[in-house]
Amino acid sequence: MKKHTLKFGISCCLALVFHTIAYAQNENYIAEQELPYAVFLQMVGHSNKQYAAEKFNVDIAEANALTAKIFPDPEISITAFDNGERRMQMGYGFSSELTYTMELGGKRKARINLANSESQLIQLLLADYFRNLRADATLSYLEAIKEQRNLDVKIQSYETIKKLCDADSIRLSLGAIAEIDAQQTKLEAHSLLNEVYEQEGILKTALFNMYLMTGSEKADILYLPKETFTGFQRTYNLKYLLTIAKENRTDLAAAVKNREVSQKMLQLAKANRKIDLGLTLGVQNNSAATNMEAPTPSFTTVSAGLSIPIKLSNRNKGELKAAQYAIDQSEMLYKQAELQIQAEVSQYYYSYLASQKQVQQFANGMLENAQKILDGKIYSYTRGETSLLEVLDARRTYNEVQQSYNEAQYALAVALVELQRAVAIWDINFLTK
């Protein structure tokens, strides 16, 4: 009996030691640093690599707007010629010509207007990108909080059974319980420790997703969320939210601007159908001809010309039709965006209300009752008044309630983030632990 007791006690101690060593190895492998939500969001705005890449689209559009202001370049040509001076003594000469295309029909103005509208559209799309990036980053932060709390629940559960394991080793040595009960406690402790290890992996994945959002290049630091699930209770009116969403949503403003861009493209297509005038100015100089039969003094000729293209291509109206179809398409996309916003706001509004009710259920005593039942079962078990299976069943129930509470709080926070994303308002805040 004492031999079995000694083995049982050593097994429990080794499990705790290995658990501690695993934590120490993780901490030595990479440093962990708590990160407040406000600092996290600031890092996302300043250092997120994809967002930084999207910002270049604005610079590119502004550069294109400058390019649209350029006038057509003039062309100059210079030609030298020999009138057979060696054989006929007719002299040498050269000519130069300057040509310039004069755009008519407001082409340059139409190009500038289109480029400016496209630049404004890109800025709206960038603002909308950040709206989604901010929400996605917040969701990754919330995910990390949830997995951290789930790990806390599993560690607490393991430590509770670990204490029973240590107590049972003493009770076994005193003959107060059967060896099978002590073995059952040890087996349960090992099983819970495996769950802790599994949850640690899940948490690391969530933390690395959060780390990716920050754009940090510090490979030796892993950020931990410093906040908890508090500060997510709001009272909203759906009609008010729908009105605000139509005013604030940058993707809807982008749809309006896209319609404007399509109209500007049509104007440019019409302007491109206007003729352009070709202006030429030339100078030609001939040296003196000393030919005995037809001597000629040197002379200079100045010429000016005007070329008018014959726009046979205007019979093809494909460009105009394509531009008009683009306008019709942008109109449909705008109407679809309006419907999409209304659906999103309504969907997340009712989801948020449902999440509030779920969280309220836990506030009505579910957690306290589960804790009291578990404590009572453990106390009765140590006095030999109840079985180990009843303790384990109470422990599992308590864990399920704790995890369900975490999931409900997480769902409430996610619903609020999604609702505010849909409405394009933002007042997400946390209360520090």
Side-chain angles (χ1 to χ4, degrees), residues 288-325:
T290 58
N291 184 285
M292 297 299 294
E293 295 180 4
T296 306
S298 63
F299 64 93
T300 299
T301 302
V302 178
S303 63
L306 177 68
S307 63
I308 302 175
I310 300 175
K311 296 283 285 188
L312 297 178
S313 60
N314 279 354
R315 297 180 61 184
N316 189 326
K317 298 183 178 180
E319 186 180 8
L320 288 179
K321 290 182 178 180
Q324 185 60 58
Y325 291 148

Side-chain angles (χ1 to χ4, degrees), residues 104-328:
L104 301 179
K107 294 183 180 64
R108 179 174 177 271
K109 182 179 180 181
R111 284 198 307 270
I112 293 173
N113 290 339
L114 175 59
N116 288 336
S117 294
E118 288 177 337
S119 178
Q120 294 167 4
L121 174 61
I122 293 298
Q123 291 176 3
L124 289 172
L125 292 176
L126 179 64
D128 193 61
Y129 182 87
F130 181 72
R131 175 180 68 89
N132 287 300
L133 174 64
R134 177 179 58 189
D136 291 338
T138 303
L139 292 179
S140 71
Y141 195 90
L142 292 172
E143 178 76 15
I145 294 176
K146 182 192 73 170
E147 300 304 343
Q148 177 64 64
R149 293 189 59 171
N150 284 340
L151 177 60
D152 293 340
V153 171
K154 291 182 182 297
I155 290 176
Q156 180 185 13
S157 180
Y158 165 73
E159 290 175 346
T160 299
I161 298 302
K162 177 63 178 58
K163 290 178 181 178
L164 283 181
C165 182
D166 294 338
D168 281 356
S169 65
I170 298 174
R171 296 173 67 196
L172 177 61
S173 65
L174 298 175
I177 60 173
E179 183 178 352
I180 188 66
D181 290 332
Q183 291 291 337
Q184 178 69 31
T185 310
K186 183 178 71 172
L187 180 63
E188 191 69 21
H190 283 298
S191 176
L192 290 175
L193 187 57
N194 283 335
E195 291 183 13
V196 170
Y197 293 152
E198 179 184 10
Q199 184 60 34
E200 284 177 343
I202 296 174
L203 173 60
K204 292 297 183 185
T205 300
L207 293 178
F208 277 110
N209 288 336
M210 190 181 96
Y211 172 84
L212 180 63
M213 283 288 184
T214 65
S216 174
E217 298 180 359
K218 297 179 179 179
D220 58 342
I221 292 181
L222 189 61
Y223 297 113
L224 301 175
K226 190 178 180 180
E227 321 297 351
T228 189
F229 291 130
T230 51
F232 291 96
Q233 293 291 343
R234 305 285 192 281
T235 301
Y236 289 124
N237 177 274
L238 179 57
K239 184 177 180 180
Y240 172 76
L241 292 178
L242 290 172
T243 302
I244 294 298
K246 291 182 178 180
E247 295 176 356
N248 292 358
R249 282 285 289 261
T250 46
D251 54 342
L252 185 60
V256 175
K257 184 59 66 174
N258 187 52
R259 183 171 55 185
E260 179 184 308
V261 167
S262 299
Q263 293 170 345
K264 296 294 176 63
M265 291 178 64
L266 178 60
Q267 293 174 6
L268 179 59
K270 290 180 178 179
N272 285 335
R273 296 174 67 84
K274 304 296 181 181
I275 63 171
D276 294 331
L277 297 180
L279 304 178
T280 60
L281 178 64
V283 177
Q284 178 175 324
N285 178 265
N286 285 269
S287 63
T290 58
N291 184 285
M292 297 299 294
E293 295 180 4
T296 306
S298 63
F299 64 93
T300 299
T301 302
V302 178
S303 63
L306 177 68
S307 63
I308 302 175
I310 300 175
K311 296 283 285 188
L312 297 178
S313 60
N314 279 354
R315 297 180 61 184
N316 189 326
K317 298 183 178 180
E319 186 180 8
L320 288 179
K321 290 182 178 180
Q324 185 60 58
Y325 291 148
I327 292 177
D328 297 339

Side-chain angles (χ1 to χ4, degrees), residues 5-56:
T5 303
L6 180 60
K7 288 182 179 179
F8 178 74
I10 292 175
S11 298
C12 290
C13 292
L14 286 176
L16 182 60
V17 169
F18 290 148
H19 178 60
T20 305
I21 291 175
Y23 270 107
Q25 288 176 340
N26 286 337
E27 291 175 355
N28 292 332
Y29 175 71
I30 188 169
E32 294 180 346
Q33 176 181 327
E34 285 192 334
L35 188 65
Y37 172 72
V39 178
F40 167 72
L41 207 58
Q42 185 179 24
M43 292 176 66
V44 171
H46 288 152
S47 304
N48 183 270
K49 299 299 185 289
Q50 186 62 40
Y51 182 50
E54 292 292 327
K55 289 180 180 179
F56 282 109

Side-chain angles (χ1 to χ4, degrees), residues 38-89:
V39 178
F40 167 72
L41 207 58
Q42 185 179 24
M43 292 176 66
V44 171
H46 288 152
S47 304
N48 183 270
K49 299 299 185 289
Q50 186 62 40
Y51 182 50
E54 292 292 327
K55 289 180 180 179
F56 282 109
N57 289 332
V58 175
D59 298 330
I60 294 171
E62 291 176 350
N64 290 335
L66 292 176
T67 303
K69 298 179 180 180
I70 296 177
F71 288 94
D73 292 324
E75 296 182 7
I76 186 170
S77 61
I78 300 176
T79 306
F81 53 88
D82 182 352
N83 291 325
E85 173 64 18
R86 287 188 66 182
R87 187 169 59 87
M88 297 182 294
Q89 288 79 44

